[in-house]
Amino acid sequence: MKRVLKIDEWFHPDGFPISVERRDPQEDFEPHAHEFAELVIVTGGKCLHVTGNESWELAAGDVFVIAGLREHEYRDLVDLRLVNILYQPNPLKLRLLDLPSVAGYHALFTLEPSRNIRQPTKGRLHLAAKELAHVIEFADRLDTELKAREPGFGFMATALFMQIIGFLSRCYGRNPSPDGRALLRIGEAMSHLERNIHREVDLDELAAIAHMSKRSFLRVFQSATGTSPLAWVIEKRIARARHLLRQTDRRVTEIAFDVGFNDSNYFTRQFRKVTGISPREYRQRQG
């Protein structure tokens, strides 16, 4: 049975859902999976990274994300040095604001960690020297906040982590490798959905953006997200509706139209399907 790294072994007892682990150098470590997600930044050396049936060489500047219970290991280590940023996506509950409109965000944090899609195995995200120095500076500051744990560290650490995510998402889109460009195109389709969340889903348009056939696009999207484009959009709309129900006293019908539903009854049915309760019940429970 593969080893699974547990949350209570790798995070502070106070429960804060971000941790930084430096490996300078990385020593031999058995194949393993995690109960959390891991953002890996290669700061020096090289190795062969193995996950599932895939393997590829790592070198300084490479960045990737391992999520869920996906098993991986490092082989043939040569002075490999890493900064691992561990995080728990659900407890963290980041407000991403407009970040999902950046195609590189979807490529790096949604598509690459998916264990079910056919992915390129070389050159997903490789930072130039200045970019690597910049993200290491962010990681150093994050590590300092987490070690000191002064009052307000949670806010500061979360802000630094968000800067890292935003910076890497932008980097992905600036100079994508030939292999990484395929994922970036799918990310562009997902970003298009984010920017046009109120519009009806046009599968032909999305497939054209991704440079794929409609059938292939649907297969890859389903494998990466676990759902269809339409269901994905509905979940995004419901998330926005939940925010408006919590933060405003606007009528449910108004909110339904604001988040992209043309029928308030259909909105209520979809809201109940996602949350288990009606919009009015949801608002009452928040009060």
Side-chain angles (χ1 to χ4, degrees):
M1 179 180 294
K2 66 185 177 184
R3 179 180 178 185
V4 177
L5 306 187
K6 304 293 186 180
I7 287 174
D8 58 7
E9 297 173 345
W10 293 88
F11 289 83
H12 195 278
D14 63 13
F16 188 69
I18 302 175
S19 179
V20 174
E21 293 289 332
R22 295 180 179 276
R23 296 292 179 262
D24 195 8
Q26 171 71 51
E27 299 178 352
D28 289 337
F29 200 88
E30 63 188 315
H32 63 281
H34 320 106
E35 290 185 338
F36 45 84
E38 180 178 61
L39 171 63
V40 181
I41 304 162
V42 184
T43 60
K46 62 182 181 179
C47 77
L48 183 69
H49 185 232
V50 180
T51 174
N53 295 322
E54 296 181 334
S55 64
W56 67 97
E57 292 184 354
L58 293 179
D62 287 341
V63 177
F64 60 94
V65 175
I66 293 289
L69 292 175
R70 192 176 189 186
E71 184 177 277
H72 74 128
E73 65 174 311
Y74 305 109
R75 297 178 185 170
D76 305 330
L77 282 65
V78 180
D79 193 31
L80 180 66
R81 283 167 279 144
L82 309 172
V83 174
N84 297 327
I85 301 178
L86 320 181
Y87 62 100
Q88 302 170 52
N90 292 334
L92 196 54
K93 295 181 180 178
L94 290 179
R95 287 199 63 198
L96 298 177
L97 300 176
D98 64 339
L99 183 61
S101 68
V102 179
Y105 166 75
H106 291 293
L108 182 58
F109 290 94
T110 302
L111 296 168
E112 283 200 359
S114 171
R115 62 182 303 171
N116 296 319
I117 71 172
R118 295 177 181 175
Q119 304 176 52
T121 58
K122 299 178 181 178
R124 294 169 173 173
L125 174 58
H126 181 81
L127 302 178
K130 288 185 178 179
E131 293 171 332
L132 179 58
H134 196 53
V135 78
I136 288 174
E137 180 183 355
F138 278 135
D140 287 343
R141 292 166 59 191
L142 173 59
D143 196 19
T144 297
E145 284 290 344
L146 292 173
K147 286 178 177 176
R149 269 180 155 68
E150 296 179 356
F153 86 90
F155 175 85
M156 295 294 290
T158 302
L160 287 164
F161 182 62
M162 292 175 73
Q163 284 184 286
I164 291 171
I165 291 176
F167 177 72
L168 293 176
S169 298
R170 286 178 171 177
C171 287
Y172 202 113
R174 285 174 186 157
N175 297 297
S177 68
D179 286 335
R181 193 172 290 118
L183 289 181
L184 192 62
R185 286 171 178 166
I186 304 171
E188 287 171 353
M190 298 177 77
S191 295
H192 178 79
L193 281 174
E194 289 277 358
R195 292 192 300 269
N196 298 277
I197 202 73
H198 295 81
R199 286 178 49 191
E200 185 176 346
V201 174
D202 186 332
L203 293 177
D204 291 320
E205 183 179 32
L206 293 172
I209 292 171
H211 296 257
M212 303 174 72
S213 69
K214 184 164 68 173
R215 180 178 179 180
S216 294
F217 175 76
L218 284 171
R219 175 182 57 77
V220 172
F221 193 99
Q222 177 79 33
S223 296
T225 65
T227 190
S228 69
L230 177 58
W232 190 81
V233 165
I234 288 175
E235 288 185 7
K236 296 292 182 181
R237 290 175 178 173
I238 296 300
R240 296 186 183 191
R242 291 165 71 175
H243 173 74
L244 291 174
L245 288 166
R246 291 194 305 268
Q247 302 297 326
T248 74
D249 58 359
R250 300 172 64 185
R251 294 190 309 162
V252 170
T253 300
E254 292 177 352
I255 290 175
F257 282 98
D258 281 350
V259 300
F261 290 93
N262 296 322
D263 183 326
S264 61
N265 290 326
Y266 179 66
F267 164 67
T268 297
R269 289 197 302 272
Q270 293 300 318
F271 193 97
R272 187 185 294 277
K273 182 178 179 180
V274 172
T275 67
I277 56 177
S278 72
R280 289 183 173 80
E281 289 173 317
Y282 180 84
R283 171 174 275 168
Q284 291 171 358
R285 294 187 184 185
Q286 302 307 305

